[in-house]
Structure formats: structure tokens, C-alpha cells
Amino acid sequence: MNHIELFSGCGGLSLGLDKAGFDLTFANELSPMAGETFAYNLVDEDLNCLEKQDKKSDKVYWISSQFDNLSRRLRENPFEYPELGSGYSDIPDDPNLLKGKLLIGNIIHLNQLLEKRPRLLQAIKDEFGEDGIDLVSGGPPCQSFSLAGLRKKDCDKNSLPWEFAKFVGIVRPKFVILENVSGILRAFKENGVSYHAWFEVAKAFASKGYIPLCLHINARLAGVPQNRPRFIMIAIREDIFNSLSMSFCNSENTLFAPCLDLFKKIQLG
């Protein structure tokens, strides 16, 4: 099994997937600081050591940076990355060189890159034959949804789940896992009108051809010694869902019934 990790952070979710038997196709992270930790722990690359030697990495690539120097890149403000094509980029033409690597940069730029380089996108898909990518996983930034944060409905970070959905629509994996804080389930209210972010996110993935199963779970119920409630969305590509649903039991059919109903409504427009 293989997966692509978005919003990879320092690699907690990727580590869990690795332990579960998934092979990393590639990961994407915005922050050079988090990326440095991910690289050290999951792609066996010590960027701090390479910086001291004034060398570049062949395991960590920048999608678009102001600098052609590792030392300055590691301290670059990720909100000042230049537009795609106007800065320095390490993304190779050979997609085989991306396997198991970390791509540091904005997911918006990553989506633009795949749209502008269809041969690269097709090569990534062809790497896994007809079966394609098994899983795209990730946890978009959650500060604006968190009950401990400012909970700003119109924060730019709130658009990132839609970029996640756009990436999924481009790559077409079999399954998707999106993780976020429980606060995404709490409605934003403005002028007496409620806005349910989790529901809008589910609709976005349904529009891309995926049946979204939205769950509120707590890691402590799965053997983790921590009270950690989380929103988890498991989205299944329609053709895969149709194949799996043929063997569903009554309880599984009941579980997926509202998800399938939403999917059909979104597809009908």
C-alpha cells in the first residue's frame, strides 16, 4: 500500500501509516521548520548537517523558494514563498526521484505544479499501474477551527481543506483520510446564520467523486494514553465504494447511508 501525505508537519500521521504498512510516495509540508523534523525522522535526511556542509538535499525538495541556498531556505518565511515559476524550485523532471521524498512548499503551488506539468502527474499515477495511489492523508491547519483559538470563519487557513480536495481530485487516490480538531464540528455563527465547516468540507470531497464518512472519535478509545478527540473524515472513491459496498453488512449499510445520500445530492447538483 502507498500514500501521499499532505500537511505532513513533523510526521506523526506518516509514522503511524508507516507502522501500518504504507509506503510513502511523497509528503508535502509548508513549514521548513516542521519539514526539517520530518526529514530527519522519516526520510533519513539531516538537513542541519547538510547546511553546515553547504550542500543541497536529494531527499527534500522545495517547490518554490526565494533562495537557492539551504541555510536561508531553512529560515525562510513560508508565507513569503514566491509564486510558482518566479523563484527557485528543485522539483525534478523524473517523477521516480520524488518517491519517498519531502516537498516543502505551499499546497496551492503543489496543485498548480501538477496542473502545469501533466506528464509529471501522469508519471506519478503510472508509477503504481492501474491501481494508482491508495491513500492521500493529512491534517490541514486547525487553529481557526480550534475552540482554543480565535475561530475566524474567514481566515485564509480555512481554505486549505478545499486545496486538499482539489489535490485529491487531481491525483484520484482510492481513499482519503482528513484529520482535524473537534472544533471543526462547532458551527460558526454570523448574523444568526450557522456555517458548518465540517459539512462544507464533506461536500467538497463529494463533489470530487468521493463518499465522505465523517466521524468524531477519541484516540483514548483506540489504546492511546491520551484524551484526544478528533474529527476524522474517511472518503472513498465512488468506484471503490461500489465494489466494497457489495459485501457490507446491515450495520455498515446504515453507517454509510447518510454519506451516500449526501454524495448523490452533490453529484446531482
Side-chain angles (χ1 to χ4, degrees):
M1 299 181 290
N2 59 76
H3 80 108
I4 293 173
E5 180 79 5
L6 303 178
F7 312 102
S8 62
C10 62
L13 184 52
S14 288
L15 177 62
L17 290 169
D18 177 72
K19 297 297 183 183
F22 281 84
D23 293 322
L24 180 66
T25 301
F26 63 79
N28 172 232
E29 168 54 32
L30 176 72
S31 166
M33 183 183 297
E36 189 173 358
T37 303
F38 185 99
Y40 187 84
N41 288 323
L42 290 158
V43 301
D44 193 28
E45 187 73 295
D46 189 337
L47 294 179
N48 182 55
C49 182
L50 288 179
E51 178 192 4
K52 293 177 180 177
Q53 298 173 8
D54 195 25
K55 293 182 178 179
K56 284 189 175 182
S57 172
D58 60 1
K59 296 182 179 180
V60 180
Y61 300 127
W62 264 256
I63 298 173
S64 184
S65 172
Q66 302 173 76
F67 310 111
D68 191 28
N69 174 276
L70 179 59
S71 180
R72 299 187 72 181
R73 285 180 173 184
L74 290 175
R75 292 157 182 80
E76 186 173 11
N77 184 339
F79 299 105
E80 295 179 357
Y81 290 144
E83 290 302 311
L84 191 67
S86 63
Y88 294 98
S89 177
D90 304 324
I91 305 301
D93 292 326
D94 183 355
N96 294 318
L97 297 177
L98 294 182
K99 186 171 176 58
K101 307 300 172 55
L102 172 63
L103 312 184
I104 293 182
N106 193 319
I107 188 175
I108 297 173
H109 294 162
L110 177 59
N111 284 334
Q112 292 172 349
L113 177 73
L114 295 178
E115 289 176 328
K116 291 181 177 181
R117 293 173 61 178
R119 291 178 61 185
L120 175 63
L121 172 61
Q122 190 58 49
I124 291 171
K125 293 180 177 180
D126 290 345
E127 172 73 15
F128 303 99
E130 295 182 0
D131 290 337
I133 299 296
D134 290 319
L135 174 70
V136 171
S137 54
C142 60
Q143 295 94 327
S144 300
F145 299 130
S146 174
L147 298 179
L150 297 177
R151 286 185 60 77
K152 292 183 178 180
K153 173 179 175 292
D154 296 322
C155 175
D156 289 344
K157 293 178 181 177
N158 290 358
S159 67
L160 295 177
W162 279 261
E163 289 295 332
F164 192 151
K166 182 177 180 179
F167 180 90
V168 165
I170 294 172
V171 175
R172 306 295 299 164
K174 299 186 187 72
F175 299 93
V176 178
I177 293 178
L178 182 150
E179 176 268 344
N180 215 285
V181 294
S182 297
I184 196 173
L185 298 168
R186 186 73 62 86
F188 291 96
K189 292 187 178 181
E190 294 183 357
N191 300 321
V193 179
S194 296
Y195 176 85
H196 297 270
W198 72 270
F199 188 58
E200 297 303 320
V201 170
K203 287 162 59 178
F205 281 86
S207 71
K208 301 297 182 182
Y210 287 77
I211 290 82
L213 174 63
C214 297
L215 305 169
H216 188 214
I217 63 176
N218 197 316
R220 68 183 177 86
L221 301 177
V224 177
Q226 183 183 41
N227 184 41
R228 194 174 182 83
R230 281 294 185 270
F231 168 79
I232 300 288
M233 185 194 73
I234 301 172
I236 308 173
R237 201 174 68 202
E238 183 182 12
D239 61 313
I240 301 298
F241 178 85
N242 290 337
S243 177
L244 293 174
S245 63
M246 296 176 64
S247 60
F248 279 1
C249 63
N250 289 336
S251 61
E252 290 167 333
N253 282 322
T254 300
L255 177 66
F256 278 97
C259 314
L260 191 56
D261 184 56
L262 170 64
F263 173 78
K264 290 177 179 179
K265 288 180 179 178
I266 294 297
Q267 289 294 306
L268 289 173

